């Protein structure tokens, strides 16, 4: 019995030593080279998170710190800071078409080429400081300079993508920079998120240690998981409610245009006119018609290769023609009311209750649900 006891004690001590060594190793990696976590298949992002890393692991706020922002933003620039799954890629393309007046002579290439995304770290180990320089120095595989896509001398303004709110981007400190915000019906946002994780390419998921996790091919389970995540307290709880609440007080700022996705879908021509006016671009009737046609879903579906998100600041990845998204996943439907159609009565009831508790301004509550004129 005594020998057995000591043998067990030896095993316990051995396990304790192993656990301690693993903890030391993880701590060392976190301190010295945290991007190594992402080399662990499928669960590397979990190691990143448990050691204090953010989710998504490729998001960074560094570009938007006010003193840093002053080093690269210019007066007249446009930041398309729309909510997630609320027409971001669409608005990036529409504002690009407006600045070029629908010209066929300006190559768009890819949404990441012509409208850069400062939030997105394109390779584990990269930093915003590195990528800021690379935006100006990168030469693409075909020999073209990346800077000629996004900072062309003929452009009246440059366009940048973000999902951040004025909590991160200090809108009032940059009165000559323009900001486009867009909100969508919340259930439609969640509906759009249901296939979104699966729509990321396997190469991108592998690069980030399994993030975003590929959900099982079970639509009912996916719907239940997504709505639980986006409801208050969920892992994606800030994606919808925080975004709407934090942009709402800025809706009447002169350098902010706040739109609703439903209004843009119902009246694309009117939205193009409103955007052009906000951006101080005068379009002839012919130019407006051309821009409107290009910003329509049929045109974007025919050119879906432009909206898969290349990673030009990750040359090895980009040279292999890899993308963040599976082709066609961001020009899927773009319609209205899908959320009401796919969620159960119980899920819709819980969502409506969350809207009332979170969106306490009645004007915001009603507008977020269906759009229409903004309240003063």
């Amino acid at each position: 019995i005594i020998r057995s006891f000591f043998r067990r004690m030896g095993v316990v001590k051995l396990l304790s030593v192993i656990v301690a060594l693993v903890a030391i190793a993880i701590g060392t990696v976190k301190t010295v080279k945290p991007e190594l976590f992402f080399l662990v298949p499928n669960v590397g992002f979990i190691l990143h998170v448990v050691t204090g890393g953010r989710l998504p692991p490729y998001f960074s706020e560094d570009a938007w710190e006010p003193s840093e922002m002053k080093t690269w933003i210019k007066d007249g620039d446009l930041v398309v800071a729309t909510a997630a799954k609320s027409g971001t890629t669409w608005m990036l393309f529409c504002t690009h078409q407006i600045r070029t007046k629908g010209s066929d002579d300006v190559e768009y290439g890819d949404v990441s080429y012509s409208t850069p995304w400062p939030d997105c770290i394109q390779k584990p180990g990269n930093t915003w400081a590195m990528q800021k320089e690379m935006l100006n120095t990168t030469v693409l595989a075909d020999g073209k300079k990346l800077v000629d896509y996004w900072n062309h001398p003929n452009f009246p303004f440059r366009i940048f993508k973000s999902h951040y709110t004025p909590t991160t981007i200090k809108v009032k400190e940059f009165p000559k920079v323009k900001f486009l915000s867009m909100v969508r019906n919340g259930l439609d946002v969640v509906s759009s998120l249901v296939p979104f994780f699966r729509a990321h390419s396997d190469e991108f998921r592998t690069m980030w240690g399994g993030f975003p996790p590929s959900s099982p091919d079970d639509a009912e389970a996916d719907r239940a998981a997504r709505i639980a995540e986006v409801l208050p307290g969920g892992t994606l709880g800030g994606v919808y409610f925080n975004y709407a609440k934090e942009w709402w007080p800025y809706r009447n700022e002169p350098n902010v245009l706040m739109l609703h996705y439903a209004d843009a879908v119902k009246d694309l021509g009117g939205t193009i006119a409103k955007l052009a006016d906000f951006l101080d671009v005068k379009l002839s009737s012919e130019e407006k018609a051309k821009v409107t046609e290009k910003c329509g879903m049929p045109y974007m579906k025919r050119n879906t290769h432009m909206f898969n998100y290349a990673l030009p600041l990750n040359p090895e990845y980009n040279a292999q023609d890899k993308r963040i998204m599976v082709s066609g996943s961001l020009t899927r439907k773009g319609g209205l009311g899908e959320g009401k159609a796919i969620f159960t009565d119980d899920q819709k009831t819980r969502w409506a209750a969350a809207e009332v508790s979170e969106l306490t301004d009645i004007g915001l509550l009603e507008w977020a649900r269906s759009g229409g004129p903004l309240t003063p």
Side-chain angles (χ1 to χ4, degrees):
I1 295 173
I2 293 174
R3 284 198 299 270
S4 176
F5 171 78
F6 279 107
R7 281 198 297 270
R8 288 197 298 271
M9 286 300 293
V11 171
V12 170
K13 286 183 178 179
L14 178 60
L15 289 174
S16 297
V17 170
I18 292 173
V19 169
L21 289 173
V22 169
I24 291 170
I26 290 174
T28 301
V29 171
K30 174 63 178 176
T31 302
V32 178
K33 204 171 180 64
E35 59 268 27
L36 291 178
F37 287 138
F38 300 112
L39 297 178
V40 182
N42 300 320
V43 297
F45 78 94
I46 297 176
L47 296 174
H48 163 78
V49 172
V50 299
T51 54
R54 68 168 66 232
L55 278 182
Y58 40 83
F59 271 23
S60 171
E61 300 178 0
D62 291 353
W64 306 108
E65 194 280 323
S67 61
E68 170 59 25
M69 193 171 164
K70 290 174 183 176
T71 69
W72 62 270
I73 206 80
K74 291 182 179 180
D75 290 351
D77 282 350
L78 171 67
V79 179
V80 176
T82 49
K85 306 311 298 170
S86 299
T88 308
T89 303
W90 186 29
M91 289 297 102
L92 289 168
F93 190 59
C94 286
T95 51
H96 168 79
Q97 290 302 324
I98 288 170
R99 74 177 170 184
T100 64
K101 300 187 175 183
S103 174
D104 294 322
D105 298 327
V106 180
E107 185 179 1
Y108 189 69
D110 180 273
V111 61
S112 294
Y113 293 179
S114 293
T115 53
W117 187 7
D119 305 6
C120 183
I121 298 301
Q122 298 192 13
K123 179 182 179 181
N126 275 13
T127 63
W128 161 248
M130 294 167 58
Q131 294 193 170
K132 180 174 69 170
E133 180 178 355
M134 293 173 73
L135 280 168
N136 292 289
T137 60
T138 295
V139 177
L140 301 172
D142 61 4
K144 296 177 181 177
K145 295 179 180 179
L146 177 62
V147 68
D148 290 339
Y149 281 94
W150 66 270
N151 195 18
H152 195 282
N154 292 340
F155 288 165
F157 54 87
R158 306 176 308 173
I159 302 171
F160 299 96
K161 170 182 173 176
S162 182
H163 286 312
Y164 288 123
T165 71
T167 301
T168 298
I169 305 175
K170 305 306 178 185
V171 171
K172 291 185 179 180
E173 293 187 29
F174 297 88
K176 294 184 179 181
V177 175
K178 296 182 179 182
F179 298 89
L180 173 60
S181 166
M182 180 172 271
V183 171
R184 186 180 185 182
N185 173 276
L187 278 177
D188 284 354
V189 169
V190 184
S191 171
S192 187
L193 279 169
V194 170
F196 184 62
F197 284 0
R198 288 199 307 273
H200 286 73
S201 69
D202 289 338
E203 296 90 349
F204 182 77
R205 185 177 290 110
T206 298
M207 181 171 65
W208 289 103
F211 191 89
S214 183
S215 54
D217 192 13
D218 183 334
E220 184 177 342
D222 274 358
R223 290 194 292 268
R226 293 298 89 76
I227 200 164
E229 289 162 354
V230 182
L231 281 167
T235 54
L236 300 174
V239 165
Y240 182 73
F241 293 107
N242 287 359
Y243 178 91
K245 290 188 292 186
E246 290 167 14
W247 271 108
W248 184 248
Y250 291 79
R251 64 193 182 280
N252 294 317
E253 291 295 320
N255 63 330
V256 172
L257 178 62
M258 194 169 188
L259 300 176
H260 197 283
Y261 183 89
D263 297 329
V265 170
K266 293 173 184 175
D267 183 10
L268 179 55
T271 299
I272 296 300
K274 188 177 292 187
L275 285 166
D277 183 63
F278 177 65
L279 297 169
D280 296 318
V281 175
K282 295 188 182 301
L283 298 174
S284 68
S285 57
E286 182 180 343
E287 290 166 342
K288 181 190 172 188
K290 193 166 188 178
V291 169
T292 303
E293 189 270 330
K294 285 189 170 184
C295 293
M297 191 57 65
Y299 181 92
M300 293 183 70
K301 279 181 176 290
R302 291 197 302 272
N303 293 278
T304 192
H305 63 281
M306 299 192 298
F307 311 113
N308 297 327
Y309 283 88
L311 294 177
L313 308 184
N314 183 340
E316 299 87 356
Y317 189 95
N318 207 51
Q320 299 175 53
D321 204 31
K322 297 176 182 177
R323 298 292 186 263
I324 294 179
M325 307 303 298
V326 172
S327 186
S329 59
L330 294 181
T331 52
R332 190 176 58 94
K333 289 184 180 180
L336 306 176
E338 188 178 59
K340 285 185 178 180
I342 71 168
F343 291 109
T344 66
D345 289 343
D346 177 67
Q347 289 167 337
K348 287 185 282 190
T349 297
R350 286 191 291 135
W351 184 266
E355 287 178 319
V356 172
S357 66
E358 292 291 320
L359 308 179
T360 54
D361 183 311
I362 188 63
L364 171 57
L365 173 64
E366 294 177 352
W367 183 80
R369 283 175 168 170
S370 56
L374 284 168
T375 59

